[in-house]
Amino acid sequence: QVQLVESGGGLVQAGDSLRLSCVVSGRPFSMYSMGWFRQAPGKEREFVAVISRGGGTTRYLDSVKGRFTISRDDVKNTVYLQMNSLKSEDTAIYYCAADWAYDYVAARTTSTTYEYWGQGTQVTVSS
């Protein structure tokens, strides 16, 4: 069983930065591509960012490109989401998720392909 624990959320003002972390345990972290998703009140969960095994491929939601950066540390079994220039529309619960990857290219954006999920961390951006 894989366990994912997010941290780093909080209440910030528009324009501020936050870094989310997600620590993974229970299975070899390096075998998974890792994604971040978010869900705002009254909205469906949406893809935010993904990083492939090894970190060679990353993909982002268009509205966060240039502001958010996903990275991973396979020694610490941790995936990060650096969020800069935050906007009120970034307010949501952010979830990390693990997707078993058979190669170093796969970086999927569909939530249903992810087997394991964290409990979420709240990010609130005041304008």
Side-chain angles (χ1 to χ4, degrees):
Q1 189 72 8
V2 178
Q3 293 183 323
L4 293 77
V5 180
E6 302 101 331
S7 61
L11 172 63
V12 297
Q13 294 186 336
D16 285 352
S17 298
L18 278 176
R19 188 176 80 156
L20 306 183
S21 300
C22 173
V23 179
V24 181
S25 62
R27 289 279 182 91
F29 176 72
S30 62
M31 298 299 292
Y32 291 88
S33 61
M34 297 297 301
W36 285 97
F37 294 78
R38 67 187 182 187
Q39 187 166 18
K43 295 187 177 181
E44 292 190 353
R45 189 174 298 187
E46 67 174 352
F47 162 79
V48 176
V50 61
I51 188 165
S52 64
R53 286 177 58 187
T57 301
T58 57
R59 300 174 69 182
Y60 296 92
L61 178 68
D62 283 347
S63 63
V64 307
K65 286 181 181 177
R67 299 189 297 122
F68 290 11
T69 302
I70 189 170
S71 61
R72 64 189 295 158
D73 185 332
D74 285 5
V75 174
K76 295 182 177 180
N77 290 353
T78 302
V79 60
Y80 304 97
L81 186 67
Q82 178 68 44
M83 304 186 296
N84 299 329
S85 303
L86 282 161
K87 305 176 181 180
S88 58
E89 51 263 44
D90 295 319
T91 294
I93 299 174
Y94 284 71
Y95 300 88
C96 69
D99 180 18
W100 180 269
Y102 291 92
D103 57 41
Y104 285 86
V105 178
R108 297 189 286 190
T109 62
T110 305
S111 63
T112 53
T113 66
Y114 286 75
E115 297 94 341
Y116 301 103
W117 293 80
Q119 81 289 348
T121 185
Q122 177 71 49
V123 172
T124 303
V125 184
S126 63
S127 57

